[in-house]
Amino acid sequence: MPQFFHLSNNNGEDGDTEGPKFTKVELAAIAHYLFDNSKALKLDAPSADYKPDPKRGETFFAQKGCLACHSHEGDRFKGTHADFGPNLSKVAAKIKPGAEGFNWLYTWIREPGRHHSRTRMPDLFLDPVTQNSVTVDPAADIAAFLLSAGPQKYDAIEATPADIDELVEKLLWRRKTVTPAQAKTVMTTRKYPIARDKVKGDEIELVPEKAEGEMSDEEWQRRKMNYLGRVTISRYGCYGCHDIPNFETARPIGTALQDWGLKDPSRLAPEHI
């Protein structure tokens, strides 16, 4: 995954003040959009009386085929270089602490297709097994091993209401969907000047399904963040690699290449000749 933020073109090194300020807004907006448009996932959980064993999970991680696709920086796995799947050394830093995060990872390990029908991760049939009255749950043990490093604490992304409103207003008129005067009016009246059935772009996030009554502060904030998130995802092309709701039919972010062979070399980018 490429890095889009905290680079020389948006970290303020050149005296730019908008880059650092709006980077926080864009990051918060992307996260808000993804969470707001996510579908609920039914999670499995180990038996209530089962105690996952991280040490046994480390052994299962080696025995059940995980290392065929993944690498891990644990002492036992030094020198593993599989890269078909991601390195799982720091997966604990990405998972929500507590039972909910554990059960999410447990469900993913047991049945990857439930989370993503097109995942490349196979179902390894890691169902609990009982022998001599002793039950062992490999998926729970592997999850415990991967989460044994503990959660990581992250600083909150502080996007101020003023910065959010400023970016929404700027995007509205910079994208030429409305005039600067109309953009200012949208921010005060909370009403987009174009009917919902006529809106074809990301501005659809600002238009309620039923234009009746005043929009609450909570609803207006949600719509502004979804608008900013959707515009940012469109701008950086996140949907080119990820499945994201409302981007199923989005056009590729890059230029079409099917006719490059017909172009005169002088028309091609010099660094690509």
PDB file of all heavy atoms in Angstrom, residues 199-212:
ATOM      1  N   VAL A 199     -27.845  14.764  -8.834  1.00  0.00           N
ATOM      2  CA  VAL A 199     -26.451  14.758  -8.379  1.00  0.00           C
ATOM      3  C   VAL A 199     -25.792  13.452  -8.800  1.00  0.00           C
ATOM      4  O   VAL A 199     -26.283  12.365  -8.492  1.00  0.00           O
ATOM      5  CB  VAL A 199     -26.370  14.924  -6.844  1.00  0.00           C
ATOM      6  CG1 VAL A 199     -24.917  14.875  -6.384  1.00  0.00           C
ATOM      7  CG2 VAL A 199     -27.025  16.221  -6.419  1.00  0.00           C
ATOM      8  N   LYS A 200     -24.672  13.540  -9.480  1.00  0.00           N
ATOM      9  CA  LYS A 200     -23.997  12.339  -9.976  1.00  0.00           C
ATOM     10  C   LYS A 200     -22.647  12.091  -9.309  1.00  0.00           C
ATOM     11  O   LYS A 200     -22.042  11.050  -9.503  1.00  0.00           O
ATOM     12  CB  LYS A 200     -23.802  12.440 -11.498  1.00  0.00           C
ATOM     13  CG  LYS A 200     -25.100  12.550 -12.279  1.00  0.00           C
ATOM     14  CD  LYS A 200     -24.843  12.528 -13.767  1.00  0.00           C
ATOM     15  CE  LYS A 200     -26.143  12.689 -14.558  1.00  0.00           C
ATOM     16  NZ  LYS A 200     -27.104  11.613 -14.278  1.00  0.00           N
ATOM     17  N   GLY A 201     -22.149  13.039  -8.557  1.00  0.00           N
ATOM     18  CA  GLY A 201     -20.833  12.907  -7.954  1.00  0.00           C
ATOM     19  C   GLY A 201     -20.871  12.628  -6.467  1.00  0.00           C
ATOM     20  O   GLY A 201     -21.911  12.252  -5.899  1.00  0.00           O
ATOM     21  N   ASP A 202     -19.734  12.846  -5.814  1.00  0.00           N
ATOM     22  CA  ASP A 202     -19.605  12.569  -4.387  1.00  0.00           C
ATOM     23  C   ASP A 202     -20.481  13.486  -3.534  1.00  0.00           C
ATOM     24  O   ASP A 202     -20.740  13.180  -2.367  1.00  0.00           O
ATOM     25  CB  ASP A 202     -18.141  12.746  -3.960  1.00  0.00           C
ATOM     26  CG  ASP A 202     -17.213  11.797  -4.700  1.00  0.00           C
ATOM     27  OD1 ASP A 202     -17.648  10.676  -5.012  1.00  0.00           O
ATOM     28  OD2 ASP A 202     -16.051  12.162  -4.958  1.00  0.00           O
ATOM     29  N   GLU A 203     -20.966  14.580  -4.124  1.00  0.00           N
ATOM     30  CA  GLU A 203     -21.817  15.511  -3.382  1.00  0.00           C
ATOM     31  C   GLU A 203     -23.136  14.875  -2.969  1.00  0.00           C
ATOM     32  O   GLU A 203     -23.879  15.445  -2.161  1.00  0.00           O
ATOM     33  CB  GLU A 203     -22.074  16.762  -4.222  1.00  0.00           C
ATOM     34  CG  GLU A 203     -20.883  17.690  -4.347  1.00  0.00           C
ATOM     35  CD  GLU A 203     -19.746  17.116  -5.187  1.00  0.00           C
ATOM     36  OE1 GLU A 203     -20.034  16.286  -6.074  1.00  0.00           O
ATOM     37  OE2 GLU A 203     -18.582  17.492  -4.947  1.00  0.00           O
ATOM     38  N   ILE A 204     -23.426  13.686  -3.499  1.00  0.00           N
ATOM     39  CA  ILE A 204     -24.640  12.974  -3.101  1.00  0.00           C
ATOM     40  C   ILE A 204     -24.668  12.738  -1.593  1.00  0.00           C
ATOM     41  O   ILE A 204     -25.737  12.630  -0.980  1.00  0.00           O
ATOM     42  CB  ILE A 204     -24.751  11.622  -3.861  1.00  0.00           C
ATOM     43  CG1 ILE A 204     -26.139  11.006  -3.707  1.00  0.00           C
ATOM     44  CG2 ILE A 204     -23.688  10.647  -3.383  1.00  0.00           C
ATOM     45  CD1 ILE A 204     -27.203  11.716  -4.467  1.00  0.00           C
ATOM     46  N   GLU A 205     -23.480  12.687  -0.973  1.00  0.00           N
ATOM     47  CA  GLU A 205     -23.410  12.452   0.465  1.00  0.00           C
ATOM     48  C   GLU A 205     -23.997  13.606   1.266  1.00  0.00           C
ATOM     49  O   GLU A 205     -24.380  13.424   2.427  1.00  0.00           O
ATOM     50  CB  GLU A 205     -21.955  12.222   0.893  1.00  0.00           C
ATOM     51  CG  GLU A 205     -21.305  10.981   0.315  1.00  0.00           C
ATOM     52  CD  GLU A 205     -21.892   9.694   0.863  1.00  0.00           C
ATOM     53  OE1 GLU A 205     -22.585   9.763   1.896  1.00  0.00           O
ATOM     54  OE2 GLU A 205     -21.658   8.629   0.265  1.00  0.00           O
ATOM     55  N   LEU A 206     -24.090  14.786   0.676  1.00  0.00           N
ATOM     56  CA  LEU A 206     -24.609  15.952   1.387  1.00  0.00           C
ATOM     57  C   LEU A 206     -26.115  16.110   1.245  1.00  0.00           C
ATOM     58  O   LEU A 206     -26.713  16.967   1.901  1.00  0.00           O
ATOM     59  CB  LEU A 206     -23.925  17.222   0.872  1.00  0.00           C
ATOM     60  CG  LEU A 206     -22.412  17.325   1.110  1.00  0.00           C
ATOM     61  CD1 LEU A 206     -21.858  18.540   0.379  1.00  0.00           C
ATOM     62  CD2 LEU A 206     -22.107  17.397   2.589  1.00  0.00           C
ATOM     63  N   VAL A 207     -26.728  15.301   0.389  1.00  0.00           N
ATOM     64  CA  VAL A 207     -28.150  15.462   0.090  1.00  0.00           C
ATOM     65  C   VAL A 207     -28.956  14.335   0.737  1.00  0.00           C
ATOM     66  O   VAL A 207     -28.752  13.159   0.403  1.00  0.00           O
ATOM     67  CB  VAL A 207     -28.398  15.458  -1.434  1.00  0.00           C
ATOM     68  CG1 VAL A 207     -29.846  15.823  -1.732  1.00  0.00           C
ATOM     69  CG2 VAL A 207     -27.439  16.414  -2.137  1.00  0.00           C
ATOM     70  N   PRO A 208     -29.833  14.628   1.670  1.00  0.00           N
ATOM     71  CA  PRO A 208     -30.636  13.572   2.315  1.00  0.00           C
ATOM     72  C   PRO A 208     -31.626  12.947   1.345  1.00  0.00           C
ATOM     73  O   PRO A 208     -32.002  13.547   0.332  1.00  0.00           O
ATOM     74  CB  PRO A 208     -31.354  14.324   3.445  1.00  0.00           C
ATOM     75  CG  PRO A 208     -31.420  15.736   2.974  1.00  0.00           C
ATOM     76  CD  PRO A 208     -30.170  15.965   2.174  1.00  0.00           C
ATOM     77  N   GLU A 209     -32.038  11.726   1.662  1.00  0.00           N
ATOM     78  CA  GLU A 209     -33.000  11.027   0.812  1.00  0.00           C
ATOM     79  C   GLU A 209     -34.339  11.761   0.781  1.00  0.00           C
ATOM     80  O   GLU A 209     -35.011  11.813  -0.242  1.00  0.00           O
ATOM     81  CB  GLU A 209     -33.208   9.595   1.325  1.00  0.00           C
ATOM     82  CG  GLU A 209     -32.017   8.680   1.100  1.00  0.00           C
ATOM     83  CD  GLU A 209     -30.882   8.964   2.086  1.00  0.00           C
ATOM     84  OE1 GLU A 209     -31.097   9.731   3.056  1.00  0.00           O
ATOM     85  OE2 GLU A 209     -29.785   8.423   1.891  1.00  0.00           O
ATOM     86  N   LYS A 210     -34.712  12.329   1.907  1.00  0.00           N
ATOM     87  CA  LYS A 210     -35.953  13.098   1.993  1.00  0.00           C
ATOM     88  C   LYS A 210     -35.626  14.492   2.505  1.00  0.00           C
ATOM     89  O   LYS A 210     -35.139  14.648   3.619  1.00  0.00           O
ATOM     90  CB  LYS A 210     -36.952  12.417   2.930  1.00  0.00           C
ATOM     91  CG  LYS A 210     -37.422  11.049   2.438  1.00  0.00           C
ATOM     92  CD  LYS A 210     -38.431  10.449   3.403  1.00  0.00           C
ATOM     93  CE  LYS A 210     -38.923   9.083   2.913  1.00  0.00           C
ATOM     94  NZ  LYS A 210     -39.916   8.481   3.849  1.00  0.00           N
ATOM     95  N   ALA A 211     -35.873  15.483   1.673  1.00  0.00           N
ATOM     96  CA  ALA A 211     -35.549  16.868   2.045  1.00  0.00           C
ATOM     97  C   ALA A 211     -36.684  17.482   2.835  1.00  0.00           C
ATOM     98  O   ALA A 211     -37.372  18.399   2.388  1.00  0.00           O
ATOM     99  CB  ALA A 211     -35.255  17.681   0.789  1.00  0.00           C
ATOM    100  N   GLU A 212     -36.892  16.952   4.031  1.00  0.00           N
ATOM    101  CA  GLU A 212     -37.981  17.450   4.879  1.00  0.00           C
ATOM    102  C   GLU A 212     -37.420  17.925   6.212  1.00  0.00           C
ATOM    103  O   GLU A 212     -36.702  17.193   6.891  1.00  0.00           O
ATOM    104  CB  GLU A 212     -39.016  16.343   5.122  1.00  0.00           C
ATOM    105  CG  GLU A 212     -39.698  15.854   3.852  1.00  0.00           C
ATOM    106  CD  GLU A 212     -40.674  14.727   4.145  1.00  0.00           C
ATOM    107  OE1 GLU A 212     -40.770  14.337   5.326  1.00  0.00           O
ATOM    108  OE2 GLU A 212     -41.320  14.249   3.204  1.00  0.00           O
TER     109      GLU A 212
END
